[in-house]
Amino acid sequence: MDRYFGIPILIAISLGLIFPYTAIELSPYGIVFLFILMFNAGLGMDWKKFRNTTGRTRQISTGLLLLFIFFPLVTWLLAILLVSDQQYIYGLVFASLCPVALVAPHFSRLQGADAEIAYLLVLFSMVLCPVVVPALLYLFFSSSLSINIVPLARYMIILTVLPMLLSYAVTRFLPGLCSRIVKYDATINITSLSVLIFSLFGTAAGQIGFSYLDTREIFILLALVFIQDFGVYFTARYFLMKHFNKQVAEAMAISLGMKNVAIAAGILLVYDPRASIAPALAFIAHAFFYTYLGRRGRLDAEEAA
């Protein structure tokens, strides 16, 4: 199923375009599917490895610097060179500043990489998001959306602390249940992510109307969000392989290449719907990136066998 991970996402995007008002009705429940994804990410983790989190300081700090500073800066530079619409640029940079996608540990595990460092990057980036993202948006644009940090921080806590504690409890005290759920890991991720993307992409389509947008700008944005996924992954992988072991470097590169753009899409749909186009288009890039990783993981496993 991982080999075709992106197909349900593309179907969800298509359905969002066809049934935007159904997507709008479903959008308030997006947090439920994000919660499920975060809970699922923590299941089956080797929690004993987290006791040595202090020994991972260099890995985490490097990942966060690349995540929040280096690659968003590159995205901003490319955007101001290639895109004329300031709202599009804003949305694109916001998407590049999002925390690590919740499925990063799943794909790291699939590649035989260090799923624990991917999970830690998810947690730390989610916790830092409410403070770091508004500050960096202000630095990039000399202004920021009037995002209330307190509700955003509460939102991030709901999506980090609670599912983390729940997944730990199930893994630690209900190993049988954990094993049964883990068997359907890919199905849970695909279903939850597809429903979430359907609601967000469809809401964006319903509020904006993609048929009225500048086609040239949309194709440029689409190219840039593919760079955010594939370009960041291959660049980060090349650099990180020189400084960390293969398993850690691969997991960090995967994490950097997939952002939780649902956060940017959800916020911008409220504050600036036109700016939400870039993170909405990023779902398309995600579909292809997830499929690439799924197919490569399966192929590598077959070669090893």
Side-chain angles (χ1 to χ4, degrees), residues 14 38 41 74 86 118 138 140 155 175 191 197 202 219 273 295-296 304:
S14 301
M38 190 63 186
V74 172
Q86 287 298 309
Y138 184 83
F140 280 122
Y155 186 76
T191 303
I197 289 172
F219 276 110
R295 290 181 65 82
R296 200 189 72 174

Side-chain angles (χ1 to χ4, degrees), residues 20 24 202-209 268-270 273:
I24 291 172
T203 300
Q207 290 190 9
I208 302 163
L268 290 173
L269 281 170
V270 175

